[in-house]
Amino acid sequence: MLKAVGKIVALASERGISFPEAVLILDAAESGVPAPEIRSRMAERLADMRRSVREACAGGVCCRIEGAMGPKLRGYHGAMAGDFLMSAAATAMEVASYNAAMGRIVAAPTAGSCGILPGMLFAWEYFHGGDRDTERLLTEALITAGAIGEVTAFRATLAGAYGGCQAECGAAAAMGAAALAYLQGGSPAICAHAAAMTFKSVLGLVCDPVGGLVECPCIKRNGILVANGTICADMALAGIESVIPLDEVIDSMGQIGRMMAPALRETSQGGLAVTPTAAALMKKLGETGKLGG
């Protein structure tokens, strides 16, 4: 398992190679799996992710609490956030809704945060891919993102039950930020800065799902955090750096997660999960098996 992003960046700098190329060298050495096979497996995951996006966006999936939100964003014109973010957010929420409805998704890095990375990757393909070999580039972006997730799993956690939503949606957004930075021609160091700033933007974010369902506020957070990751990628590409190295930021995220009260770590015993409206929604769901009109 990859243990430090700093090691990836150092190897890439030493050999004059890209972030994903350094990841493949280190991961192959750590796992014993040849680099071409790792790349092939990631290409398969990309295909799975593309299929889940296609299915999620085609179905107009409605969840028990949240309803269908992606189509509302797609039908909204004149957005101040711009077309890229609106498309990425819509896809993120549709995939997250598909997960809540028990559809087939790619945990990236978890089921609860599964919409963020595909939202960012496929929005980039649509708006910036042009006539380039996007399958190759997106596979390499997924390798980049996967390395951030792998290091996070080793140094901290990817589970809301242990680290709050900072560990799930936060990690997904950081992974996506690094991937976007790579896709836009950023150096390995820039990829790391993008991920570090994204993590810093969500430190302390609790996991407080209403009724224990991966719907509220999880689905909206999938949509919201594509914006965090995207702006952090742009900040890094513009030359803004994280004073605290990514590995230390991840360590801090793990420390914060351990300090977080259990009521705020996926137990539905605190935060939004115990508001009066949440209690009323769960009572209605228990009585009728459905919400809404």
Side-chain angles (χ1 to χ4, degrees), residues 156-157 159-167 203-205 250-262 264-265:
T157 181
Y162 290 95
C165 200
Q166 60 168 3
L203 290 179
L205 182 60
I250 293 171
D251 292 344
S252 295
M253 186 273 282
Q255 178 195 44
I256 292 167
R258 292 188 295 273
M259 295 172 68
M260 199 177 288
L264 301 175
R265 293 186 297 184

Side-chain angles (χ1 to χ4, degrees), residues 121-136:
L121 291 181
F122 295 119
W124 177 87
E125 181 181 42
Y126 182 81
F127 289 98
H128 298 287
D131 58 359
R132 288 179 280 183
D133 182 359
T134 57
E135 285 299 309
R136 176 184 62 81

Side-chain angles (χ1 to χ4, degrees), residues 166-219:
Q166 60 168 3
E168 292 204 27
C169 286
M175 292 162 64
L180 287 184
Y182 168 73
L183 288 168
Q184 289 294 91
S187 68
I190 286 174
C191 294
H193 286 304
M197 289 188 284
T198 305
F199 262 128
K200 287 157 68 176
S201 75
V202 294
L203 290 179
L205 182 60
V206 304
C207 183
D208 51 351
V210 172
L213 304 173
V214 190
E215 295 190 24
C216 176
C218 318
I219 294 171

Side-chain angles (χ1 to χ4, degrees), residues 56-93:
C57 294
V61 180
C62 291
C63 297
R64 286 169 289 182
I65 298 176
E66 298 288 3
M69 293 175 287
K72 292 181 180 178
L73 271 189
R74 295 193 189 280
Y76 171 58
H77 301 291
M80 292 180 289
D83 292 340
F84 180 96
L85 282 181
M86 296 302 282
S87 175
T91 297
M93 288 196 291

Side-chain angles (χ1 to χ4, degrees), residues 102-287:
M102 302 304 291
R104 177 188 173 93
I105 52 89
V106 176
T110 65
S113 61
C114 65
I116 295 171
L117 188 55
M120 296 167 81
L121 291 181
F122 295 119
W124 177 87
E125 181 181 42
Y126 182 81
F127 289 98
H128 298 287
D131 58 359
R132 288 179 280 183
D133 182 359
T134 57
E135 285 299 309
R136 176 184 62 81
L137 288 170
L138 289 177
T139 298
E140 291 169 356
L142 199 58
I143 291 168
T144 299
I148 303 299
E150 191 172 346
V151 172
T152 301
F154 175 79
R155 301 184 76 96
T157 181
L158 294 171
Y162 290 95
C165 200
Q166 60 168 3
E168 292 204 27
C169 286
M175 292 162 64
L180 287 184
Y182 168 73
L183 288 168
Q184 289 294 91
S187 68
I190 286 174
C191 294
H193 286 304
M197 289 188 284
T198 305
F199 262 128
K200 287 157 68 176
S201 75
V202 294
L203 290 179
L205 182 60
V206 304
C207 183
D208 51 351
V210 172
L213 304 173
V214 190
E215 295 190 24
C216 176
C218 318
I219 294 171
K220 291 191 184 80
R221 284 180 182 159
N222 272 257
I224 292 165
L225 288 186
V226 300
N228 291 49
T230 300
I231 192 63
C232 287
D234 274 334
M235 288 167 64
L237 288 162
I240 298 171
E241 299 182 350
S242 174
V243 174
I244 310 300
L246 175 55
D247 292 323
E248 294 181 31
V249 174
I250 293 171
D251 292 344
S252 295
M253 186 273 282
Q255 178 195 44
I256 292 167
R258 292 188 295 273
M259 295 172 68
M260 199 177 288
L264 301 175
R265 293 186 297 184
E266 209 173 342
T267 59
S268 297
Q269 296 175 353
L272 296 175
V274 296
T275 58
T277 295
L281 286 170
M282 288 304 100
K283 181 180 179 180
K284 183 176 181 180
L285 183 60
E287 291 173 349

